[in-house]
Amino acid sequence: MDRILHVKGAANVRDLGGYVSQSGEKSAKVRYQKVIRSAGIQDLTPADQTLLAEYGVTKVVDFRSAKERSAAPDAEILQAENIFLPIFPEQTTTSAAPGTLFEQIQAGLDAATQMRSVYRHFVEEAYSRQAYRRFFEILLANEAPDSGVLFHCTAGKDRTGFGAALVLAGLEVDRQTILDNYLETNPNLTQTLQQMLDQAQKEGAPDYLLAGIKDLMAARADYLGESYAAIQEHYGDVAGFFHEGLGLSHQDLLDFRRLYRE
């Protein structure tokens, strides 16, 4: 089954189903049509909206800031509840919003350094941890077998990428597979990146800005590695992060696996 959902009005729309989960000597597969990651969905066509509704999406979780959400409201998916769940507080010096990050590059900040900081903040920022806990609460409440949750940010890369990594880790998918899923964003955003570069060149952007755009729009192993490093420093391992960082109980994780594994 193809994990990519071929919609015209959104990029990087992927089902997290089909990955093999390993618990001791037992293995299982992540269920299809239960949890879907995506870039922004403000430009969905009517056909896209129908496709996602028929695919079973009943909840949309929007990780963007209020500013991003106001500038580009989500297109509606029939009968789907839309949940606003910003990963960072409005008043913060850390942002994963592409527009804000681009402004910081223009102000002289290094793009890759910014990105590594963002990925540490997913773990170290109490507000962000609470948001990801709420995300798991939404997933745990999604008990109907034919009900799917779509979650997204703007590029579907960072806030969404870390969220996807947590979902797969919670389902006991191995770290290399999680990284592979994360890096699949790159070919899926090729067209988006090229459009941004073309527009920047048209406006006369210098080389350092073009390089910064590439760093901002990339999914890189060292970015996600910063999250893992922060987890190890503060919680020991991912299991510790689930229990101490997100406040998920052993029973929560058992229930999560029951819902999202075959």
Side-chain angles (χ1 to χ4, degrees), residues 8-201:
K8 293 183 178 179
N12 206 20
V13 186
R14 291 185 274 143
D15 196 313
L16 293 183
Y19 289 109
V20 175
S21 164
Q22 192 72 34
S23 180
E25 296 182 356
K26 296 181 179 179
S27 64
K29 284 189 176 181
V30 179
R31 294 182 187 273
Y32 279 99
Q33 295 181 251
K34 287 292 290 180
V35 60
I36 299 103
R37 58 177 295 173
S38 177
I41 60 169
Q42 67 274 8
D43 295 323
L44 293 179
T45 68
D48 295 336
Q49 293 167 289
T50 299
L51 183 155
L52 292 171
E54 292 179 348
Y55 198 75
V57 173
T58 60
K59 289 184 175 63
V60 173
V61 181
D62 184 354
F63 285 161
R64 299 175 300 166
S65 67
K67 181 179 179 180
E68 291 171 286
R69 185 175 169 91
S70 176
D74 284 349
E76 292 185 6
I77 299 172
L78 184 65
Q79 298 181 340
E81 177 187 4
N82 192 288
I83 301 166
F84 178 45
L85 186 61
I87 295 300
F88 291 116
E90 289 303 313
Q91 302 300 321
T92 181
T93 56
T94 302
S95 173
T100 301
L101 292 169
F102 184 66
E103 290 172 1
Q104 292 173 341
I105 295 174
Q106 291 176 306
L109 297 180
D110 177 71
T113 300
Q114 289 184 70
M115 295 308 304
R116 287 190 284 269
S117 176
V118 164
Y119 277 79
R120 291 194 70 89
H121 275 74
F122 291 147
V123 176
E124 295 175 341
E125 172 69 60
Y127 185 100
S128 301
R129 293 196 305 274
Q130 185 60 35
Y132 282 115
R133 174 187 167 81
R134 174 60 185 142
F135 178 46
F136 270 85
E137 290 173 350
I138 293 165
L139 293 171
L140 284 164
N142 182 45
E143 294 190 349
D146 57 351
S147 175
V149 175
L150 182 149
F151 64 104
H152 77 92
C153 51
T154 294
K157 180 178 75 72
D158 305 311
R159 291 163 287 188
T160 297
F162 183 67
L166 289 180
V167 168
L168 294 175
L171 296 174
E172 300 180 298
V173 173
D174 69 273
R175 188 175 294 190
Q176 183 59 53
T177 301
I178 291 171
L179 177 60
D180 291 343
N181 173 270
Y182 170 74
L183 294 176
E184 283 177 21
T185 283
N186 290 322
N188 293 331
L189 290 184
T190 299
Q191 183 176 356
T192 302
L193 172 59
Q194 192 58 54
Q195 289 172 345
M196 293 178 69
L197 291 172
D198 289 346
Q199 182 62 33
Q201 287 177 317

